[in-house]
Amino acid sequence: MTAISNLIDNNRAWASGKTEVDPDFFARLVRQQAPDYLWIGCSDSRVPANEIVGLDPGELFVHRNVANLAPPQDANYLSVLQFAVEVLKVKHILVVGHYGCGGVIASTEHTHHGLIDHWLTPIRYLAKEHHDELHALPEGSPRFDRLCELNVIRQVRNVASNPFVMTAWEKGEDLTVHGWCYSIENGLVSDLGVSVSTNEEVERMFGRV
Ligand code: CO
């Protein structure tokens, strides 16, 4: 039996380990000012936000959902985004996809998966939009990997054209949206080169949205 009590034991060991090497760790966490980063990533358990970028708890505000989407009508994501931008005043928003994303792959399949098919609809449309580019690539992982990247780029566009973000830029606030893709195979992040820091940059990168 997989015992839940193991987790409590692990927790006790983790907490005492933390204070052993850094007696001020939890006291500092309580006093922690606003984090500078918002991470929008996939729910996939193999993509632990803090660990990948070597940050402690308290340094990264995290929103995760299947296939790291930033849908303009999703109240959960929008609440997180507004809080991060207007209250925490984060300096960077990281949209982080990952190669081999099960959500991205599922969106291309013709079988039914249930409610998740509704959630993944934007990726299905995106794949249609980029049909020629995707079909020029070998079937299987090269095509899926490119779709993972295209999905991140589209979500960067969604975040960057969000009214909370656009308003922050109009006020001259220091905020950059980045698009990254993480490889589970080697643990490395690739910067997709779509970072934007002003409304003008967004228009140059994506056209008027
Ligand atoms: Co995923």
Side-chain angles (χ1 to χ4, degrees):
M1 191 180 105
T2 314
I4 195 79
S5 60
N6 285 353
L7 300 188
I8 301 290
D9 293 343
N10 290 351
N11 164 257
R12 297 295 183 267
W14 172 79
S16 63
K18 281 283 179 195
T19 32
E20 220 163 86
V21 293
D22 182 0
D24 196 35
F25 181 82
F26 291 105
R28 205 172 52 243
L29 207 53
V30 171
R31 293 193 307 266
Q32 171 75 36
Q33 296 295 322
D36 284 334
Y37 308 92
L38 166 63
W39 173 285
I40 299 173
C42 185
S43 299
D44 192 305
S45 59
R46 299 164 298 176
V47 192
N50 290 65
E51 279 180 45
I52 289 172
V53 286
L55 291 179
D56 275 335
E59 296 185 294
L60 193 68
F61 197 54
V62 176
H63 178 71
R64 291 168 70 176
N65 59 46
V66 173
N68 42 270
L69 296 182
Q73 288 86 19
D74 178 49
N76 183 0
Y77 145 71
L78 290 172
S79 307
V80 168
L81 183 67
Q82 183 178 28
F83 185 73
V85 171
E86 294 183 3
V87 181
L88 298 176
K89 296 196 183 298
V90 295
K91 302 283 179 276
H92 300 275
I93 299 175
L94 310 161
V95 178
V96 188
H98 67 102
Y99 297 114
C101 180
V104 170
I105 294 170
S107 76
T108 67
E109 292 168 350
H110 295 291
T111 45
H112 298 300
H113 307 90
L115 186 56
I116 195 74
D117 292 329
H118 295 267
W119 176 252
L120 297 172
T121 298
I123 310 181
R124 219 162 16 249
Y125 285 132
L126 186 68
K128 256 193 196 128
E129 227 178 274
H130 292 270
H131 177 274
D132 293 351
E133 179 189 346
L134 291 167
H135 281 256
L137 294 167
E139 227 178 306
S141 12
R143 220 177 267 182
F144 292 139
D145 287 351
R146 182 58 187 151
L147 186 53
C148 286
E149 294 179 347
L150 290 169
N151 180 43
V152 168
I153 295 167
R154 176 54 54 90
Q155 306 316 313
V156 167
R157 192 181 95 171
N158 284 353
V159 173
S161 55
N162 175 279
F164 304 134
V165 172
M166 291 171 77
T167 305
W169 280 331
E170 279 161 23
K171 290 184 191 160
E173 282 175 25
D174 173 19
L175 173 66
T176 307
V177 185
H178 309 265
W180 290 0
C181 222
Y182 171 74
S183 167
I184 288 169
E185 284 176 25
N186 61 18
L188 300 177
V189 157
S190 305
D191 186 337
L192 301 182
V194 289
S195 300
V196 278
S197 309
T198 63
N199 287 317
E200 294 68 34
E201 274 177 19
V202 175
E203 203 171 322
R204 271 201 298 280
M205 178 89 67
F206 300 110
R208 199 170 273 277
V209 285

